[in-house]
Amino acid sequence: MKVLLLGSGGREHALAEKLVQSSLCTQLYVAPGNPGTANIAVNVSLDILNASALADFIQKNQIELVLVGPEQPLVEGMYEQLKERGALEHCIYFGPGREGAQLEGSKDFAKQFMQRNKIPTARYKTFQAKQLEEAKAYLEVQDGPYVLKADGLAAGKGVIITESKQEAIDEIEALLGGKFGSASTTVVIEEFLSGIELSVFVATNGKDYVILPEAKDYKRIGEGDTGLNTGGMGSISPVPFLDEALRKQILQKVIQPTLKGLQLDGIEYLGFLFIGLILVEGEVFVIEYNVRMGDPETQSVMSRIDSDFLEILIELGKGNTPPEMRIKEECAATVVLVSDGYPESYPKGREISGLENVSKAHAYHAGTSQEGGKLVTSGGRVIAVTALGKTASEALASANKAASQVQFEGKYYRTDIGKDLLQL
Ligand code: AMP
Ligand code: GLY
């Protein structure tokens, strides 16, 4: 089978590794890919938001499965655009259409969906730009911490959590005033939940599903979960506190009602569901839905999958019940190496060395490029190193060692990934 993977980050490098392991994969193209995917697949320089270019490529190269990495093509309705162009007649598109992608593309849509389907989530209220005064009055009578969420996609910066009422009021003015353009002219204000987070991943065709290994990611830039939010600084899988009873609760209170809710709304859904959860005194609540895999969760999650992952995607795509997912007993840990300054501004073009020294771990490219025969930094998150181990501490030790073996000027990484879980 000829496969086209869309995206260019560490997540896509990890997905590409998994796809090429499949005996069913005869050719893998990655658009646009990165120097890591170039080593194992064919990178094609295509704009993943350009429907006509993608449709041409799919048809000319007889692509049979498209796997979508990032959310933007999903939220922008790439499925519908390719379908309209007749590009999906012989091709499975693994990613939801425009409506399903609203679970990630609109916080208000997701909250209404959860409320309608009795899926546990924080209490909330939604405000539009014209309701600024009502929003401020609402904040006045709430206790902090305050959680404000831009309705639309805001490059991971759309969630603001603050203890200060004044800051919350200033933020609501900025958001509704268009801080993130139309993505924030609707804002969800929700109750702050205090607990421990984990993420579960489901691959589904709306009827059948497989549950992938769960993971926990580390979003803040600083040690001890301090400082600015990032795309993710590391991840770990499995999550030790996810026992059988909690698995059952997540299945019954979240996964099953989510799939049922999609069916009730008549939304066909082929793709991933990445459910961000928080555990509050033993009760699970949904923090958010994403309609794609996470980065850097995918690097840890894929490392633990023993099954032919492409076969699972194909069977789901055909509307069949997929084979059971075999998961390795081992633990996986991922540490992300970033450029100093990230998540704010950071330098680019710094030479990367030492990848050949990485032992007992896999180095996934995230923000790298080839320039004049040299591998250089081109993004904030540069390389993600993932290691497996019999225990979480073994995996973490190997990932940290690998992190120290890769060099570039201004390299920074958190050395405390997963440490909170070791103490549980
Ligand atoms: P997001 O950008 O949607 O992934 O949210 C970023 C982070 O904000 C989440 O991972 C949580 O740590 C935190 N968060 C979001 N909603 C809430 C909430 N209602 N209560 C507490 N923390 C939250
Ligand atoms: N690591 C979080 C995300 O991919 O959304």
Side-chain angles (χ1 to χ4, degrees):
M1 170 168 279
K2 289 171 140 188
V3 180
L4 171 64
L5 169 64
L6 305 186
S8 63
R11 164 183 51 211
E12 286 75 24
H13 190 182
L15 288 170
E17 287 276 358
K18 204 74 213 161
L19 293 171
V20 297
Q21 282 169 14
S22 166
S23 58
L24 301 169
C25 184
T26 53
Q27 175 80 63
L28 176 65
Y29 297 99
V30 191
N34 64 35
T37 61
N39 291 332
I40 52 169
V42 175
N43 282 356
V44 281
S45 134
L46 281 176
D47 173 0
I48 62 169
L49 300 177
N50 182 337
S52 61
L54 283 180
D56 276 354
F57 187 85
I58 292 168
Q59 284 165 326
K60 283 204 184 108
N61 295 281
Q62 294 162 340
I63 301 296
E64 295 162 270
L65 187 138
V66 175
L67 178 59
V68 188
E71 62 278 12
Q72 220 180 340
L74 301 168
V75 172
E76 291 188 11
M78 188 54 71
Y79 171 71
E80 285 78 4
Q81 296 180 57
L82 293 176
K83 211 169 166 194
E84 256 169 40
R85 288 172 166 80
L88 300 180
E89 271 158 33
H90 308 287
C91 179
I92 295 167
Y93 178 92
F94 200 87
R98 191 180 267 121
E99 259 194 300
Q102 288 281 92
L103 281 180
E104 175 166 357
S106 165
K107 300 275 187 208
D108 181 50
F109 176 93
K111 294 299 280 192
Q112 286 190 38
F113 176 89
M114 287 187 261
Q115 202 167 47
R116 208 164 50 240
N117 293 291
K118 302 195 169 51
I119 296 165
T121 189
R123 276 183 289 122
Y124 79 106
K125 222 166 152 54
T126 300
F127 297 92
Q128 318 283 339
K130 58 179 188 296
Q131 296 171 299
L132 174 62
E133 290 312 315
E134 281 141 276
K136 286 204 237 172
Y138 179 77
L139 285 170
E140 280 294 350
V141 295
Q142 303 297 315
D143 293 325
Y146 304 90
V147 182
L148 276 52
K149 298 187 172 182
D151 182 55
L153 296 183
K157 299 197 170 98
V159 176
I160 290 129
I161 301 180
T162 174
E163 301 266 352
S164 148
K165 186 167 285 190
Q166 191 53 49
E167 202 179 319
I169 289 173
D170 293 346
E171 277 295 346
I172 193 80
E173 267 187 33
L175 288 167
L176 290 177
K179 178 176 176 185
F180 294 113
S182 60
S184 72
T185 47
T186 298
V187 172
V188 167
I189 301 181
E190 68 178 40
E191 171 196 16
F192 178 83
L193 298 174
S194 178
I196 182 157
E197 291 180 55
L198 80 154
S199 297
V200 297
F201 304 91
V202 181
T204 182
N205 56 20
K207 166 178 68 79
D208 307 289
Y209 61 90
V210 286
I211 300 178
L212 279 56
E214 75 284 359
K216 184 176 192 310
D217 84 330
Y218 293 80
K219 285 205 173 75
R220 303 293 192 96
I221 189 75
E223 306 264 325
D225 265 321
T226 53
L228 294 174
N229 246 324
T230 71
M233 295 295 291
S235 66
I236 188 153
S237 174
V239 174
F241 59 85
L242 181 57
D243 57 17
E244 272 317 305
L246 183 55
R247 264 180 214 285
K248 196 166 158 200
Q249 191 189 148
I250 293 170
L251 188 65
Q252 292 178 345
K253 292 197 177 163
V254 180
I255 298 175
Q256 287 169 346
T258 298
L259 297 181
K260 178 120 184 284
L262 288 167
Q263 286 166 14
L264 286 173
D265 287 348
I267 298 177
E268 286 179 16
Y269 196 103
L270 176 63
F272 296 114
L273 263 174
F274 157 3
I275 312 175
L277 299 167
I278 190 163
L279 192 63
V280 186
E281 290 162 11
E283 289 296 315
V284 73
F285 292 81
V286 175
I287 289 274
E288 63 168 354
Y289 287 111
N290 293 301
V291 297
R292 53 172 172 88
M293 290 298 292
D295 189 347
E297 292 89 334
T298 303
Q299 291 85 322
S300 291
V301 168
M302 288 297 135
S303 305
R304 293 190 61 226
I305 294 178
D306 216 5
S307 303
D308 183 331
F309 191 58
L310 180 56
E311 184 187 3
I312 291 175
L313 301 184
I314 295 169
E315 291 308 317
L316 284 169
K318 287 183 177 162
N320 299 336
T321 305
E324 208 177 311
M325 164 104 47
R326 288 188 313 276
I327 296 174
K328 294 178 195 165
E329 287 290 320
E330 291 165 284
C331 299
T334 299
V335 173
V336 181
L337 313 184
V338 306
S339 278
D340 225 356
Y342 174 79
E344 296 183 298
S345 63
Y346 50 83
K348 291 182 186 173
R350 301 242 160 109
E351 189 171 353
I352 303 164
S353 62
L355 285 179
E356 67 286 356
N357 301 333
V358 170
S359 53
K360 292 209 216 149
H362 198 96
Y364 293 106
H365 291 238
T368 71
S369 66
Q370 285 286 354
E371 260 173 38
K374 284 183 181 163
L375 186 70
V376 298
T377 65
S378 63
R381 293 194 290 175
V382 178
I383 296 274
V385 288
T386 302
L388 284 170
K390 278 200 203 75
T391 60
S393 18
E394 211 180 285
L396 282 163
S398 300
N400 280 318
K401 171 134 194 274
S404 72
Q405 289 167 325
V406 179
Q407 304 300 340
F408 55 89
E409 199 188 327
K411 174 184 83 170
Y412 166 76
Y413 62 96
R414 276 180 63 173
T415 60
D416 67 337
I417 300 299
K419 282 202 177 143
D420 54 333
L421 297 181
L422 299 181
Q423 283 142 24
L424 289 175

